[in-house]
């Protein structure tokens, strides 16, 4: 009887050994992403930005709910049937709408999560020990970027679900499929917008050794594009304009197109144009229209696909800017000599 027992015992032990050998160890990239995500969630800077964004969201939602009846009852508004989109775009002037708040606070969130992503590791001496492990440098940068982007994605998705649930409880109206698609597209656009500033802040954290220098530089860039860039563009374009008595209608249209093209070099302008088109289905163009183009047009909401085609250049611009920043980050980090 010992022979069969020994035989089956040997098969059982071989099966366990085979299963243990088949289990692959967890990749270093996933470990680093999990570690970065946990560090961001537990950091005070993220807590402060979370409180600011949630408070602005609740304030905008409160103003929208107080004025939703007037917005829905306006028969001249072709978007009045989209109740949940009105929750994100309705305001009485006391507070801006939520996407305007995100265009201002979104860059600060990306800056807070990435301005010391690399130089803080190097100043603390942990970057040398990390690179000494069997970890690729590109995986380290990707983990820094993906960990922060996961936190941002969960934050915006939770806000969208909170808005949808609150709207269902208060209004008692179920969202239409087109509204759900537009809200999800707005969430993806907001994540992409914050991701651009996150990649730019990581780039400066690689470029500068001091975290304070990288923070001041990225905040200066944000202030330039948010405040001063529009003023400079308006001054330059107005200086190029001839007198009002010498302007033709075609010249005025070309100058308006030039002004819009220059303004769209700013990431905030790209985000605002795309968010407005997605949340307001009646928007048919992001540029000036002639009387001939508007002749015979019926004010009605556009399908989601056509609105997405209108904002595709803006989305492509944000994607390209994010890719360029991350490529420069990779180039600088790969050429850096890391010593103790």
């Amino acid at each position: 009887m010992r022979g069969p027992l020994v035989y089956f015992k040997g098969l059982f032990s071989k099966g366990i050994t085979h299963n243990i050998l088949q289990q692959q160890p967890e990749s270093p990239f996933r470990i680093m992403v999990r570690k970065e995500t946990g560090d961001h969630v537990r950091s005070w800077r993220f807590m402060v930005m979370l409180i600011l964004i949630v408070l602005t969201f609740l304030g905008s939602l409160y103003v929208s709910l107080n004025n939703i009846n007037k917005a829905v009852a306006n028969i001249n508004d072709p978007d009045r049937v989209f109740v949940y989109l009105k929750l994100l775009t309705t305001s009485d002037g006391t507070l801006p709408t939520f996407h305007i708040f995100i265009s201002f606070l979104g860059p600060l969130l990306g800056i807070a999560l990435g301005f010391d992503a690399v130089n803080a590791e190097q100043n603390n001496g942990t970057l040398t020990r990390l690179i000494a492990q069997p970890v690729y440098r590109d995986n380290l940068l990707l983990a820094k970027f993906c960990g922060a982007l996961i936190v941002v994605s969960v934050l915006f998705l939770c806000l969208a679900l909170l808005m949808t649930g609150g709207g269902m409880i208060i209004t008692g109206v179920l969202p239409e499929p087109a509204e759900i698609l537009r809200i999800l597209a707005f969430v993806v656009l907001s994540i992409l917008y914050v991701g651009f500033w996150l990649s730019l802040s990581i780039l400066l954290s690689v470029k500068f050794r001091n975290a304070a220098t990288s923070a001041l530089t990225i905040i200066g860039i944000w202030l330039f594009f948010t405040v001063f860039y529009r003023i400079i563009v308006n001054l330059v374009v107005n200086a190029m304009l001839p007198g009002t008595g010498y302007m033709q209608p075609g010249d005025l249209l070309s100058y308006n197109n030039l002004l819009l093209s220059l303004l769209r070099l700013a990431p905030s302008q790209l985000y605002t144009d795309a968010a407005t088109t997605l949340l307001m289905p009646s928007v048919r163009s992001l540029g000036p229209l002639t009387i001939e183009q508007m002749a015979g047009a019926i004010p009605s909401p556009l399908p989601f696909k056509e609105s997405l085609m209108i904002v595709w250049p803006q989305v492509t611009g944000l994607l390209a800017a994010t890719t360029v920043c991350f490529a420069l980050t990779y180039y600088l980090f790969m050429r850096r000599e890391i010593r103790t």
Side-chain angles (χ1 to χ4, degrees):
M1 294 295 294
R2 291 182 58 189
L5 290 176
V6 172
Y7 176 74
F8 283 113
K9 184 178 179 181
L11 287 179
F12 183 71
S13 62
K14 287 181 181 179
I16 293 178
T17 306
H18 181 68
N19 291 333
I20 292 175
L21 291 177
Q22 279 188 339
Q23 293 179 357
Q24 298 294 331
E26 191 173 6
S27 63
F29 175 73
R30 295 182 60 183
I31 296 174
M32 288 188 294
V33 169
R34 188 165 61 246
K35 181 256 183 189
E36 292 295 330
T37 304
D39 290 344
H40 287 309
V41 171
R42 291 187 295 266
S43 63
W44 278 104
R45 70 184 72 170
F46 176 73
M47 293 297 178
V48 172
M49 293 304 305
L50 176 63
I51 293 172
L52 287 177
I53 292 177
V54 171
L55 287 179
T56 55
F57 171 76
L58 294 177
S60 300
L61 187 62
Y62 176 76
V63 173
S64 300
L65 288 173
N66 286 338
N67 297 273
I68 192 66
N69 292 328
K70 297 179 182 179
V72 174
N74 186 9
I75 60 175
N76 296 323
D77 188 2
D79 297 333
R80 66 183 183 277
V81 295
F82 300 102
V83 179
Y84 288 86
L85 297 183
K86 284 297 180 182
L87 293 178
L88 293 172
T89 57
T90 302
S91 178
D92 59 355
T94 58
L95 283 178
T97 56
F98 181 62
H99 72 276
I100 300 297
F101 272 123
I102 292 300
S103 67
F104 182 79
L105 294 177
L108 292 179
L109 178 61
I111 291 170
L113 296 179
F115 76 94
D116 61 346
V118 177
N119 48 23
E121 296 273 3
Q122 189 167 3
N123 294 333
N124 294 333
T126 57
L127 184 61
T128 305
R129 294 197 295 266
L130 187 60
I131 295 299
Q133 305 299 320
V135 176
Y136 295 107
R137 291 194 179 191
D138 54 349
N139 284 343
L140 175 61
L141 292 179
L142 281 173
K144 295 284 185 182
F145 182 77
C146 292
L149 204 62
I150 288 173
V151 175
V152 174
S153 303
V154 173
L155 171 61
F156 283 116
L157 186 60
C158 290
L159 290 179
L161 293 176
L162 179 63
M163 185 272 297
T164 306
M168 291 177 63
I169 293 174
I170 295 174
T171 63
V173 180
L174 294 178
E176 298 291 335
E179 290 180 296
I180 295 176
L181 289 176
R182 289 181 180 274
I183 291 173
L184 290 178
F186 170 69
V187 170
V188 173
L189 177 67
S190 302
I191 294 170
L192 180 61
Y193 178 59
V194 177
F196 162 74
W197 291 101
L198 174 64
S199 63
L200 183 59
S201 59
I202 294 176
L203 169 63
L204 295 179
S205 72
V206 174
K207 177 65 177 177
F208 300 106
R209 188 177 295 272
N210 194 353
T213 305
S214 61
L216 290 176
T217 305
I218 188 63
I219 290 175
I221 295 174
W222 168 67
L223 285 176
F224 171 76
F225 280 111
T226 304
V227 179
F228 301 106
Y229 181 73
R230 180 180 291 273
I231 299 174
I232 294 173
V233 170
N234 287 326
L235 290 176
V236 171
V237 174
N238 289 332
M240 295 172 58
L241 285 174
T244 56
Y246 300 97
M247 291 189 63
Q248 301 296 326
D251 297 334
L252 183 60
L253 184 62
S254 63
Y255 277 115
N256 286 331
N257 289 327
L258 176 62
L259 178 62
L260 288 175
S261 300
L262 292 176
L263 288 177
R264 284 170 184 161
L265 294 177
S268 58
Q269 185 67 34
L270 294 177
Y271 173 76
T272 303
D273 290 345
T276 302
T277 306
L278 290 175
L279 297 177
M280 297 181 180
S282 60
V283 175
R284 294 178 172 269
S285 176
L286 292 175
L289 296 175
T290 61
I291 299 178
E292 291 79 7
Q293 291 174 333
M294 296 177 61
I298 300 175
S300 60
L302 288 179
F304 171 71
K305 183 178 180 181
E306 295 186 12
S307 297
L308 194 62
M309 294 299 294
I310 293 176
V311 303
W312 189 247
Q314 281 74 17
V315 175
T316 306
L318 288 176
L319 276 174
T322 305
T323 305
V324 169
C325 290
F326 196 82
L328 289 175
T329 305
Y330 179 78
Y331 173 76
L332 293 176
F333 191 63
M334 292 297 291
R335 291 176 60 88
R336 168 175 288 188
E337 183 178 359
I338 302 174
R339 297 180 179 179
T340 56

